[in-house]
Amino acid sequence: KTMTARRLSIRIRFRTRVRWLVAVLCCGWLAFGVRAAEPVVIVFDADNPPFMFGLNDHPAGIYPALVSAAMERASIPVRLEIRPWKRALAEGETGKSGIGGIYQNEERARKYDFSDPIMTENIVVYFNRATPIDFRTVSDLQGKTIGVIRGWSYGDAFDAARRNGLFMVEEVSGDRSNFMKLADGRLDAILSIEESGQATIAAAGLSNIGQSRSYLASNKAYLAFAKSAQRKDILAGFNKALSAMRHDGTFDRIVARELAR
């Protein structure tokens, strides 16, 4: 009886330890699964309609819609958020999040890995019709006060001329503020993406604003992650899905839908 009791005791302890080990392993697998399924955070400009903006504190516009659809097609879980653009750039540099709708320049190419281009944005020089500007090159802005969006790059040529003091700049957080200042004669010119500028002019009923016939720049917009984040696999999946969306018409349907809102 004593030996039987001891054997039973050993079996009970063995089974208890096995169950404990299985429980630990299951918890570990569960925790790993949760980490693996954590969504990729991507931030967008909170004030750049129709491309990206905040609507009831959620991302809206062309880029969030395209990125969301591509990531869903690629089976990559994401969480889309909005930020003031300067804050979005600062957050992206740390590798904490990706940035949607960002331009590429020499400085950023050293910091970020970029997707294939999402869209091309044409930057327009807008002016007050009372004091028109015949814009053809950056040198035509010499000595003028130009309204820009805080944290934006408008291409290497404009950025270099700005650093060299060819003109003065005033920064605001969004297009509407710039257009109102221009309409009131407080700026010589402002820069805006063509679609954004046209939408703002129409919404504000500004009849005294004209635009240059030549673009300041045509900039491609991308999805980007800091190199330190090591997200090239995410970008590869995004690129493949984006290409498929262009091929089957999903891309054009999303853009048309968002422009019609």
Side-chain angles (χ1 to χ4, degrees):
K1 290 184 179 180
T2 301
M3 288 297 296
T4 301
R6 286 178 180 175
R7 288 173 182 170
L8 182 59
S9 177
I10 291 171
R11 289 177 181 174
I12 291 173
R13 288 199 301 269
F14 176 76
R15 290 174 180 172
T16 301
R17 288 174 182 174
V18 168
R19 289 171 182 168
W20 176 83
L21 180 59
V22 170
V24 169
L25 290 173
C26 288
C27 288
W29 291 330
L30 180 60
F32 177 80
V34 170
R35 286 196 298 272
E38 284 181 356
V40 177
V41 178
I42 300 173
V43 297
F44 298 86
D45 191 351
D47 195 10
N48 182 22
F51 295 95
M52 45 184 171
F53 58 97
L55 183 63
N56 299 322
D57 295 326
H58 294 287
I62 295 171
Y63 294 153
L66 288 173
V67 170
S68 178
M71 290 302 195
E72 182 177 358
R73 182 174 292 211
S75 299
I76 300 172
V78 293
R79 185 170 75 247
L80 309 185
E81 299 180 358
I82 53 170
R83 303 279 190 274
W85 189 239
K86 193 170 183 178
R87 182 180 164 194
L89 293 176
E91 187 174 303
E93 281 192 28
T94 68
K96 182 180 178 181
S97 61
I99 307 175
I102 187 173
Y103 296 163
Q104 184 173 174
N105 58 26
E106 290 182 5
E107 179 183 0
R108 290 174 180 173
R110 292 191 292 269
K111 299 178 181 178
Y112 295 98
D113 292 319
F114 288 84
S115 69
D116 293 340
I118 302 174
M119 291 186 69
T120 297
E121 300 179 5
N122 296 314
I123 306 295
V124 171
V125 176
Y126 288 93
F127 52 80
N128 192 307
R129 295 186 189 277
T131 54
I133 297 175
D134 185 17
F135 173 82
R136 288 183 173 83
T137 68
V138 172
S139 61
D140 294 323
L141 301 177
Q142 184 172 0
K144 301 188 183 302
T145 301
I146 314 297
V148 300
I149 305 298
R150 187 175 296 110
W152 275 45
S153 167
Y154 291 92
D156 290 326
F158 180 87
D159 293 349
R162 176 179 177 175
R163 288 193 299 270
N164 293 331
L166 184 68
F167 40 75
M168 298 290 292
V169 298
E170 291 188 10
E171 296 183 329
V172 296
S173 60
D175 276 329
R176 182 175 175 82
S177 296
N178 264 340
F179 274 99
M180 299 310 295
K181 290 167 71 174
L182 182 63
D184 292 341
R186 290 180 283 155
L187 293 170
D188 296 314
I190 66 172
L191 306 181
S192 177
I193 303 166
E194 188 168 29
E195 290 86 349
S196 300
Q198 291 173 347
T200 303
I201 289 171
L206 302 176
S207 60
N208 63 336
I209 303 298
Q211 73 175 69
S212 61
R213 286 176 290 182
S214 300
Y215 294 133
L216 171 76
S218 293
N219 295 319
K220 291 179 172 60
Y222 302 83
L223 171 63
F225 292 91
K227 291 181 180 295
S228 60
Q230 299 182 349
R231 295 290 198 177
K232 287 186 177 180
D233 56 335
I234 300 295
L235 292 174
F238 173 78
N239 289 340
K240 184 177 180 180
L242 192 67
S243 176
M245 287 166 55
R246 293 186 194 279
H247 182 73
D248 66 16
T250 302
F251 184 98
D252 290 338
R253 287 194 294 271
I254 290 174
V255 171
R257 182 192 71 202
E258 295 302 319
L259 286 174
R261 288 186 187 278

